[in-house]
Amino acid sequence: MGKKEKNEKLSGKDAFEKFYSEIYGERWEKLKQTFSQENCLTEFFIPGAQKSYFLDSASILAALALPLDDSVETILDLCAAPGGKTVVLSSRMSSETQLFSNERSSDRKKRLCITVEECIPPSISSRIKVSCSDGAVWCKKQSECYDRILLDAPCSSERHVYNDKKYLDLWTTSRIKQVTTMQWALLSSAYRLLKKGGYMVYSTCALCPQENDGIISRLIEKFTKSIPLELCKPEVIFSEIKNYIKSEFVIPSYEKTDFGYQVLPDVNNGAGPIYFSIIKKCE
């Protein structure tokens, strides 16, 4: 049996530990310690809304990383539920911008609708359209129609797996293959939906490099010749949202990876993990 076949048969807690300790080395023990700690969430409140939304500061950073200005007419939040990043994006967009928030799961879409209704004031939510569709196939019907796209892709979410014995016992390396297949379908579709000259942020809460830089590497390989892209540095402008932060907030530090940036909880007071890459579709 080859090494590849053996790896595919790994499963359960021991396999999970072995897989991630090989990636993060001695740092893995520190990361696990933060997984066991309660993450302190940031209260985000837009005046006029019924309720605040509480989310990880690293998620706020990912939503802040998408470049916005007054010229932006359309934003797509492709995998939007439960809605935290939609809330942050809605607070940043101009009075003329429309935000399309999509979720393929009907149950999760209901939660997204509640978030939009309760956590975003009517003056803004009137310009938000919530939909329930599979973003991976949108590109078959549309192309180059959004100025900005945020793709917070479904991922392995190792922090949640580690804290749930049921999921940890079922963990297997083959799960990564399934997830990356889905992520690639979503990202390649999103890139086709993005207008030339537009920006997109791809993000996950995964620690697995295959789901992060691995997906961006595949995008570069696929489109460099036909529809060139540029990877951009984050220019986070905290002043855009400072009036909406109602709890103690520190912008998380991020580490450079090959094709993006990563927020790791062991050096950010428990915030994260979050990976994000900022992509510009060249004209």
Side-chain angles (χ1 to χ4, degrees):
M1 182 182 295
K3 184 177 180 182
K4 183 177 179 181
E5 292 177 89
K6 286 182 180 178
N7 286 338
E8 290 177 355
K9 291 182 178 296
L10 292 174
S11 64
K13 182 179 179 179
D14 289 343
F16 183 88
E17 291 274 2
K18 183 176 186 297
F19 184 82
Y20 287 98
S21 64
E22 287 180 354
I23 296 171
Y24 288 95
E26 293 181 0
R27 193 173 186 180
W28 177 238
E29 290 302 318
K30 294 180 180 178
L31 286 168
K32 285 193 299 179
Q33 290 174 16
T34 63
F35 292 170
S36 303
Q37 300 169 3
E38 184 176 353
N39 190 359
C40 184
L41 301 179
T42 299
E43 181 181 1
F44 197 97
F45 178 74
I46 305 176
Q50 299 174 39
K51 294 182 178 180
S52 298
Y53 193 95
F54 293 83
L55 72 168
D56 190 306
S57 59
S59 294
I60 294 176
L61 175 63
L64 267 177
L66 184 66
L68 295 183
D69 56 47
D70 290 343
S71 69
V72 174
E73 296 178 353
T74 54
I75 305 171
L76 172 62
D77 189 353
L78 192 56
C79 299
K85 293 184 179 68
T86 280
V87 172
V88 177
L89 288 173
S90 75
S91 75
R92 298 180 58 214
M93 66 188 194
S94 76
S95 59
E96 303 300 318
T97 305
Q98 287 189 304
L99 173 57
F100 298 83
S101 293
N102 177 70
E103 175 56 47
R104 72 174 184 174
S105 162
S106 58
D107 287 339
R108 286 172 59 82
K109 184 226 176 185
K110 291 175 184 176
R111 188 176 173 188
L112 173 61
C113 287
I114 292 171
T115 296
V116 170
E117 180 181 355
E118 294 183 343
C119 301
I120 301 175
S123 59
I124 300 176
S125 62
S126 61
R127 289 179 283 114
I128 299 176
K129 182 178 179 181
V130 177
S131 58
C132 184
S133 182
D134 183 358
V137 298
W138 271 26
C139 63
K140 294 182 179 179
K141 298 179 180 179
Q142 296 176 292
S143 65
E144 298 188 348
C145 49
Y146 296 99
D147 297 305
R148 301 289 189 270
I149 297 177
L150 174 62
L151 171 56
D152 185 25
C155 67
S156 288
S157 190
E158 293 92 347
R159 183 171 193 154
H160 298 292
V161 170
Y162 183 77
N163 288 323
D164 191 317
K165 185 178 184 304
K166 180 181 72 173
Y167 291 112
L168 187 57
D169 288 344
L170 293 172
W171 185 88
T172 173
T173 51
S174 63
R175 171 65 179 156
I176 295 170
K177 278 189 174 182
Q178 298 170 11
V179 172
T180 53
T181 297
M182 176 172 50
Q183 290 166 338
W184 170 244
L186 285 164
L187 182 59
S188 58
S189 176
Y191 190 68
R192 290 179 172 95
L193 292 168
L194 185 65
K195 290 181 181 179
K196 289 180 179 177
Y199 292 86
M200 173 169 61
V201 165
Y202 171 82
S203 70
T204 79
C205 59
L207 288 167
C208 177
Q210 292 95 316
E211 299 179 42
N212 298 330
D213 275 350
I215 299 296
I216 301 301
S217 174
R218 189 170 176 182
L219 185 76
I220 295 168
E221 183 179 354
K222 172 72 175 178
F223 290 104
T224 293
K225 292 182 179 179
S226 58
I227 318 173
L229 59 94
E230 176 186 342
L231 298 182
C232 306
K233 295 180 180 180
E235 295 183 11
V236 176
I237 305 174
F238 176 59
S239 59
E240 291 182 339
I241 61 163
K242 68 177 182 179
N243 292 332
Y244 310 128
I245 302 293
K246 301 304 176 184
S247 57
E248 185 176 344
F249 179 79
V250 176
I251 296 177
S253 62
Y254 44 85
E255 304 170 30
K256 183 74 178 73
T257 66
D258 287 342
F259 303 116
Y261 302 85
Q262 193 167 29
V263 176
L264 292 174
D266 60 327
V267 293
N268 281 287
N269 224 19
I274 284 286
Y275 169 89
F276 64 96
S277 180
I278 307 165
I279 303 151
K280 180 180 181 182
K281 190 174 188 177
C282 298
E283 298 188 58

